[in-house]
């Protein structure tokens, strides 16, 4: 995901990488910089505008509502919310209007399985 953001020159003020406590403190090289991974806690989403989740369903079900409650637009790539009728399954070229961002404390969007979104 980091590479795609860089390749597409997505405007990023601050890139905050978060993971489990076990991985916190490790470093990742991205876009010519070395970034330190922080621990994913509910408080770590304070001030986040967009939260991209790809940490597995259990983690997503726990932390995505925390990020959304703190004002982040949450895009989840796990299976944690795929079958939840309150969370829209968005394919940007098919139904972008379904991601209106008004889901309150639930993730705003969930991504389909990779095989579902390929042409």
């Amino acid at each position: 995901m980091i590479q795609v953001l860089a390749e597409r020159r997505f405007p990023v003020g601050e890139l905050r990488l978060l993971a489990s406590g076990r991985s916190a403190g490790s470093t990742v090289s991205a876009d010519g910089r070395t970034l330190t991974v922080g621990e994913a806690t509910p408080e770590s989403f304070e001030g986040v505008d967009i939260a991209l989740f790809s940490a597995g369903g259990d983690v997503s079900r726990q932390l995505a509502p925390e990020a959304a409650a703190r004002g982040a637009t949450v895009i989840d790539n796990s299976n944690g919310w795929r079958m939840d009728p309150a969370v829209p399954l968005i394919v940007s070229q098919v139904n972008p209007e379904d991601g209106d961002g008004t889901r309150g404390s639930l993730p705003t969007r969930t991504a389909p399985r990779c095989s579902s979104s390929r042409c």
Side-chain angles (χ1 to χ4, degrees):
M1 279 195 261
I2 300 166
Q3 182 178 345
V4 171
L5 292 173
E7 287 172 357
R8 297 192 179 191
R9 297 186 178 156
F10 190 84
V12 176
E14 175 192 359
L15 182 59
R16 195 178 305 179
L17 306 181
L18 302 172
S20 68
R22 187 184 56 199
S23 297
S26 62
T27 59
V28 174
S29 294
D31 198 26
R33 300 180 292 167
T34 299
L35 304 166
T36 301
V37 177
E39 184 173 1
T41 65
E43 296 76 24
S44 62
F45 294 98
E46 290 292 338
V48 170
D49 294 321
I50 301 172
L52 303 174
F53 276 74
S54 191
D58 291 340
V59 171
S60 178
R61 282 189 295 276
Q62 177 188 0
L63 290 175
E66 297 288 347
R70 287 166 170 76
T73 296
V74 176
I75 301 170
D76 179 44
N77 197 37
S78 78
N79 64 357
W81 301 94
R82 281 201 189 117
M83 301 306 289
D84 188 320
V87 179
L89 183 65
I90 305 294
V91 177
S92 62
Q93 291 80 15
V94 177
N95 62 334
E97 67 282 353
D98 288 348
D100 65 3
T102 59
R103 303 292 183 255
S105 63
L106 293 176
T108 307
R109 302 173 176 130
T110 186
R113 294 176 57 102
C114 58
S115 60
S116 302
S117 59
R118 291 186 182 153
C119 296

